[in-house]
């Protein structure tokens, strides 16, 4: 089957045409757009269809869109975009036969089984076994999803776990909590273990040191992504505050990934998605991430059984959206056959 698939994020939106049998997925005509250049998903999809010459329902009768935000039924209000996305409206306006919506991290979870050996980097081998798995993705925000193991196959499901309460452990982290409470009120894990979290950690640590942001780093901040600039400065050893920022970030990211693994009893593996881990793989491997991941007191032996892998393919949500669409259509056909 052919499906128009999309990965709708607060910063970028990716669209492509997927051909899939439900397991193997081939992507074609993949394009990425700045999300805020468009006032709706409908207008963005129309621009894509015009650019690529695709014509629903002839070329791609179905659509499946992974959205950064909570999906309720066939509707989603995006978390970091002023968009209301409605599957029924998309079907009507764009002449699709069927449109499905799913959370972006649920899509990553669907995409895990479409990945090959070279699409994953092993951060920790653990003791691979059949069982539940989970995805924790630090990107612009912090996304989390689960994969329930029924004894035969995994069933992906969405969560909004990245928005649960941040829990400090020591004096510095309690100071961090107080600092962020002054700025945001409630403090979630997303405020510290994400791209926006890297910026927050840098601001906090800078406030504790009698230094100012160097002019060259301020210029990098002004030119683009603060988190990427901080990570690059840390990797080059050019800024001590940046080095401390990334050390703290990786430790906190490991703690929350471990929380997710523990809550899901993820003996089938913990997968790190998002853009930060693959772009900073060497720094991640040398960091305190795994120390934070394992540090669960009496549960540490259990944590050490869980494999930890980094997803290297940035188009995994598109792969997952295609697999989701195929599974949903297959289930619908089966129901109609049984009812008939």
């Amino acid at each position: 089957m052919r499906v128009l698939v999309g990965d709708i994020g607060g910063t970028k939106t990716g669209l492509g045409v997927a051909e899939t049998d439900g397991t193997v997925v081939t992507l074609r005509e993949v394009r990425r757009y700045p999300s805020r250049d468009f006032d709706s998903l409908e207008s963005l999809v129309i621009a894509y269809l015009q650019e690529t010459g695709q014509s629903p329902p002839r070329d791609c009768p179905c659509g499946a869109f992974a959205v950064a935000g909570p999906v309720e039924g066939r509707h989603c209000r995006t978390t970091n975009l002023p968009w209301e996305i409605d599957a029924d409206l998309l079907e009507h306006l764009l002449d699709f036969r069927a449109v499905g919506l799913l959370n972006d991290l649920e899509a990553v979870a669907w995409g895990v089984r479409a990945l090959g050996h070279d699409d994953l980097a092993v951060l920790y081998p653990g003791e691979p076994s059949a069982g539940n798995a989970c995805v924790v993705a630090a990107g612009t925000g912090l996304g989390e999803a689960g994969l329930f193991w029924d004894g035969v196959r995994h069933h992906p499901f969405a969560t909004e776990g990245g928005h649960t309460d941040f829990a400090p452990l020591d004096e510095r982290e309690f100071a961090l909590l107080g600092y962020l409470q002054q700025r945001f009120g409630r403090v979630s894990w997303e405020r510290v273990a994400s791209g926006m979290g890297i910026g927050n950690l840098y601001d906090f640590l800078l406030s504790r040191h009698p230094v100012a942001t160097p002019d060259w780093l301020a210029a990098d901040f002004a030119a683009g992504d603060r988190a990427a600039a901080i990570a690059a400065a840390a990797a080059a050893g050019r800024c001590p505050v940046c080095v401390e920022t990334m050390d703290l970030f990786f430790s906190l990211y490991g703690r929350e990934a471990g929380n997710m693994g523990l809550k899901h009893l993820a003996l089938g593996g913990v997968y790190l998605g998002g853009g930060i881990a693959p772009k900073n793989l060497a720094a991640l491997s040398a960091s305190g991430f795994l120390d934070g991941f394992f540090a669960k007191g009496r549960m540490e032996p259990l944590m050490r059984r869980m494999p930890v892998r980094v997803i290297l393919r940035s188009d995994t949500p598109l792969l997952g959206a295609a697999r989701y669409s195929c599974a949903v259509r297959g289930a619908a056909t089966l129901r109609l056959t049984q009812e008939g």
Side-chain angles (χ1 to χ4, degrees):
M1 63 178 289
R2 287 169 61 89
V3 189
L4 178 67
V5 290
D7 175 21
I8 293 87
T11 304
K12 292 286 184 69
T13 289
L15 295 172
V17 175
E19 298 176 358
T20 180
D21 62 1
T23 302
V24 178
V25 182
T26 302
L27 295 174
R28 308 187 189 281
E29 299 288 357
V30 176
R31 304 284 193 279
R32 297 197 178 275
Y33 304 88
S35 300
R36 293 186 180 274
D37 285 359
F38 299 85
D39 60 6
S40 66
L41 178 57
E42 294 86 359
S43 63
L44 196 162
V45 172
I46 289 170
Y48 171 83
L49 294 174
Q50 292 174 342
E51 179 181 329
T52 60
Q54 303 297 318
S55 177
R58 183 191 68 201
D59 297 317
C60 38
C62 300
F65 300 97
V67 187
V71 175
E72 299 183 35
R74 294 175 57 75
H75 180 268
C76 178
R77 176 178 295 175
T78 54
T79 302
N80 294 309
L81 278 175
W83 290 3
E84 296 273 349
I85 300 176
D86 186 278
D88 294 327
L89 182 63
L90 285 166
E91 285 180 5
H92 174 71
L93 290 179
L94 303 174
D95 198 27
F96 283 104
R97 292 176 187 163
V99 167
L101 299 182
L102 69 165
N103 173 264
D104 60 336
L105 260 293
E106 182 184 0
V108 175
W110 273 100
V112 163
R113 294 297 170 245
L115 298 176
H117 177 78
D118 292 339
D119 299 325
L120 297 165
V122 177
L123 189 63
Y124 176 73
E127 300 174 16
S129 64
N132 298 339
C134 66
V135 179
V136 187
T140 302
L142 179 65
E144 301 180 349
L147 295 97
F148 165 66
W149 177 252
D150 70 357
V152 177
R153 63 181 62 87
H154 280 115
H155 299 268
F157 61 92
T159 84
E160 289 296 330
H163 297 286
T164 56
D165 299 320
F166 166 60
L169 288 185
D170 57 25
E171 181 276 331
R172 183 176 64 166
E173 292 182 11
F174 275 101
L176 170 63
L177 175 63
Y179 176 86
L180 295 179
Q181 284 175 328
Q182 291 296 315
R183 294 179 62 177
F184 304 113
R186 180 179 176 272
V187 181
S188 67
W189 276 101
E190 182 171 82
R191 298 292 189 188
V192 299
S194 66
M196 70 175 72
I198 289 173
N200 291 335
L201 296 178
Y202 174 84
D203 292 340
F204 163 68
L205 293 171
L206 191 69
S207 74
R208 289 167 64 91
H209 297 289
V211 296
T213 298
D215 291 342
W216 59 267
L217 185 56
D220 288 348
F221 287 171
D225 187 337
R226 283 188 87 211
I230 291 166
R238 296 185 66 191
C239 170
V241 177
C242 293
V243 171
E244 187 178 356
T245 296
M246 294 308 295
D247 286 346
L248 180 55
F249 165 77
F250 285 127
S251 176
L252 293 173
Y253 188 16
R255 288 238 305 279
E256 176 57 6
N259 289 341
M260 187 71 170
L262 189 58
K263 289 175 182 177
H264 288 78
L265 193 61
L267 295 176
V270 176
Y271 293 87
L272 304 183
I276 295 176
K279 291 176 183 176
N280 298 275
L281 192 56
L284 173 66
S285 300
S287 75
F289 178 96
L290 288 175
D291 292 336
F293 183 87
F294 295 140
K296 303 301 176 193
R298 292 172 293 170
M299 293 293 104
E300 181 170 337
L302 178 66
M303 301 305 297
R304 290 185 177 274
R305 292 172 55 193
M306 297 180 188
V308 183
R309 305 179 181 96
V310 177
I311 297 173
L312 301 178
R313 286 191 64 165
S314 62
D315 57 6
T316 302
L318 299 179
L319 302 177
R323 292 191 67 238
Y324 164 83
S325 181
C326 195
V328 168
R329 288 191 68 194
T333 300
L334 178 60
R335 283 198 301 273
L336 288 173
T337 301
Q338 290 174 336
E339 292 170 0

